[in-house]
Amino acid sequence: MRQRAMWSAVLVVGLALAGCGSASDSGKSTSSDGKLVVWDWKSGEPFAKSYLDKAKADFKKKHSDVEVEFVAQPFDQYYTLLGAAIQSGKGPDVMLFNGGGQIRDRVDALVPLNDYVTEDKQRLAGWEAFTKDAKIYASPVTLQGYPIYYNKAIYQKANLDPASPATTWDKFTADCTAIAKAGAKCFALGNKEGVGIQFWLSSLGSTTLTAQEYDAWITGKRDWQSPNVKRLFQLWKEAGDKKMNSDGANSTAMFNDSFALFQSGKAAHVMGLMSDVGHWQDFNEFLTPEKLGVMKAPIVTAGTTPSLPYDGGIGYAVAKWTKDPKMAADLVRSLSSADALKAFYADAGAIAADTTIDVSQAGPAVATLVSELKSGKPALHVALSSKTLDLMGRLSQQLLSGSITVDEVVKQLAASDQAG
């Protein structure tokens, strides 16, 4: 099953050293022996086969005598396993990362790729999510955004115009009342992993924070006491209090139970992803492209302008301990080659980092997403450290259960953010 779930806090150092899940004893760097080892959480999936075949064929042109072994790790343990490998200084030569805090928190273990990826800079987008202090640490494979999808059939059932979703928060909540009367929930929400709040924060960020607040947030100058920042968390709580969300959000896994609620027509909206899971291709399969809509975030704060939040989604990096960094970097480049990314888009439904790929046949939802890339902005949650994201997940669950106040939430998040 495709998963992009929250990483577990379970310490599995021993498992990492021995090779866990589908990892084997061969899951360590052996580049000096004519072999490169790659860790990820994608290579075991059927949809990744064509992508990997294309990447390996490209790499073979440069290094015909080098074997490449992909080790698919379970995602819910991935960063714990990777952390153990980094701590020991032993592990794969090449590794997959989510953009943002997950890679920025681990750059000390990675090789800067600036000198190796110069030729790819113009063709690929999403580099910022894999960059820290002007040094690039991974080549982007996908672009990941957090659009609001909606079910046009439910809109029709609720006597709402599917062609004109709400543009303000007040109108949106009124529409949700009509949707409830039609027998559906407003949002499909899964927050068992504590990830739902990340999507909420980023999906509504551009229409809640002013442009100045948004830009300051991305550059690290975050004012957690701003009324608009607090408003984002108040809206999260209010949506729960008003029963706009699907039942039992804190006990529902986002991946993929909450998406299943949306696909089955039990909720009118979902804050989903743009690439490879919980995305347009999955939803098209169940709802049909004609019934799937993508809406701009409704305006919460007057004077704001909605924009699609997106960044580089996933990307491959080179471990500092690899014995031949250039050869490993060549493999990273092959994993972001044009042919490989075309296959990833076709089979996985990913919006690839290569923006030259033709997506015109993928349906209206994709056309909307791609059209909004130019005016899009980095996602708010991607700017936060993994430690603060983890805390935000736990606090978001407490907010939904009513056991903490918004003021206390922003106080704790501010302290975590400032601690770095």
Side-chain angles (χ1 to χ4, degrees):
M1 181 176 70
R2 283 182 280 176
Q3 287 188 323
R4 181 190 162 106
M6 174 183 162
W7 41 96
S8 167
V10 177
L11 185 61
V12 285
V13 174
L15 290 175
L17 298 178
C20 174
S22 55
S24 66
D25 289 340
S26 59
K28 300 175 183 176
S29 171
T30 54
S31 59
S32 63
D33 302 323
K35 180 179 177 180
L36 290 175
V37 176
V38 183
W39 277 15
D40 63 21
W41 61 89
K42 296 287 187 185
S43 56
E45 303 289 353
F47 66 79
K49 183 179 184 308
S50 177
Y51 161 65
L52 295 179
D53 287 347
K54 296 284 186 182
K56 286 188 282 189
D58 185 81
F59 180 71
K60 208 71 174 177
K61 295 175 185 175
K62 306 168 191 171
H63 303 281
S64 59
D65 57 343
V66 177
E67 179 186 354
V68 179
E69 179 188 7
F70 285 86
V71 180
Q73 303 283 17
F75 185 81
D76 60 352
Q77 299 177 15
Y78 183 77
Y79 285 106
T80 304
L81 291 167
L82 200 55
I86 289 171
Q87 190 173 17
S88 69
K90 299 176 182 177
D93 303 281
V94 173
M95 54 195 92
L96 185 65
F97 279 97
N98 295 107
Q102 293 297 352
I103 189 167
R104 291 181 183 132
D105 289 353
R106 296 171 172 86
V107 296
D108 289 346
L110 304 177
V111 176
L113 299 179
N114 299 56
D115 293 340
Y116 301 115
V117 299
T118 303
E119 294 179 35
D120 302 328
K121 288 296 298 293
Q122 292 300 316
R123 181 175 56 86
L124 302 176
W127 293 98
E128 294 82 0
F130 303 103
T131 299
K132 183 174 183 179
D133 298 332
K135 294 181 179 179
I136 297 169
Y137 289 96
S139 284
V141 172
T142 65
L143 299 179
Q144 190 58 279
Y146 306 88
I148 302 174
Y149 295 98
Y150 68 101
N151 184 330
K152 295 181 180 179
I154 293 180
Y155 267 55
Q156 289 176 323
K157 188 176 180 182
N159 293 318
L160 301 173
D161 182 359
S164 301
T167 58
T168 67
W169 184 255
D170 288 343
K171 176 65 167 58
F172 182 77
T173 55
D175 288 354
C176 288
T177 299
I179 288 166
K181 291 178 179 177
K185 289 292 186 178
C186 188
F187 285 113
L189 178 63
N191 199 45
K192 183 178 180 180
E193 310 96 331
V195 178
I197 185 65
Q198 298 179 21
F199 288 41
W200 184 273
L201 184 73
S202 290
S203 294
L204 295 177
S206 68
T207 56
T208 306
L209 305 187
T210 66
Q212 292 76 18
E213 287 174 327
Y214 200 106
D215 293 344
W217 179 289
I218 296 301
T219 58
K221 300 174 183 176
R222 291 177 276 276
D223 179 4
W224 290 92
Q225 294 304 313
S226 158
N228 289 333
V229 171
K230 288 186 178 181
R231 184 69 174 133
L232 282 166
F233 294 94
Q234 287 166 347
L235 291 175
W236 169 265
K237 178 173 169 38
E238 289 171 13
D241 291 345
K242 294 179 179 178
K243 302 189 182 305
M244 294 166 64
N245 302 325
S246 49
D247 295 336
N250 275 347
S251 58
T252 302
M254 171 177 281
F255 303 94
N256 288 307
D257 292 346
S258 66
F259 297 133
L261 290 172
F262 178 68
Q263 290 168 178
S264 62
K266 294 180 180 176
H269 309 87
V270 70
M271 293 174 177
L273 293 167
M274 201 162 73
S275 285
D276 72 84
V277 65
H279 67 332
W280 59 274
Q281 191 179 59
D282 287 347
F283 302 150
N284 276 351
E285 181 180 351
F286 289 90
L287 299 181
T288 73
E290 293 72 25
K291 294 180 181 176
L292 179 66
V294 179
M295 63 180 287
K296 296 180 184 296
I299 291 175
V300 177
T301 302
T304 58
T305 302
S307 62
L308 175 68
Y310 82 97
D311 296 90
I314 56 174
Y316 285 95
V318 174
K320 186 168 281 185
W321 55 73
T322 191
K323 296 181 176 64
D324 190 338
K326 182 181 183 307
M327 184 168 70
D330 282 344
L331 178 57
V332 166
R333 292 194 63 208
S334 293
L335 287 161
S336 296
S337 64
D339 285 347
L341 295 189
K342 285 178 184 175
F344 201 35
Y345 156 71
D347 294 347
I351 302 298
D354 189 332
T355 57
T356 66
I357 295 174
D358 181 9
V359 298
S360 60
Q361 303 302 310
V366 173
T368 300
L369 291 173
V370 173
S371 71
E372 294 181 2
L373 289 177
K374 284 187 177 179
S375 59
K377 292 185 174 181
L380 294 184
H381 75 272
V382 176
L384 301 176
S385 69
S386 56
K387 181 180 177 181
T388 300
L389 288 175
D390 194 34
L391 174 63
M392 187 167 69
R394 296 195 300 274
L395 294 175
S396 72
Q397 293 167 336
Q398 294 175 38
L399 265 181
L400 286 182
S401 68
S403 60
I404 196 170
T405 65
V406 169
D407 285 345
E408 182 61 26
V409 166
V410 296
K411 178 182 177 182
Q412 291 192 35
L413 290 175
S416 176
D417 192 27
Q418 290 166 6

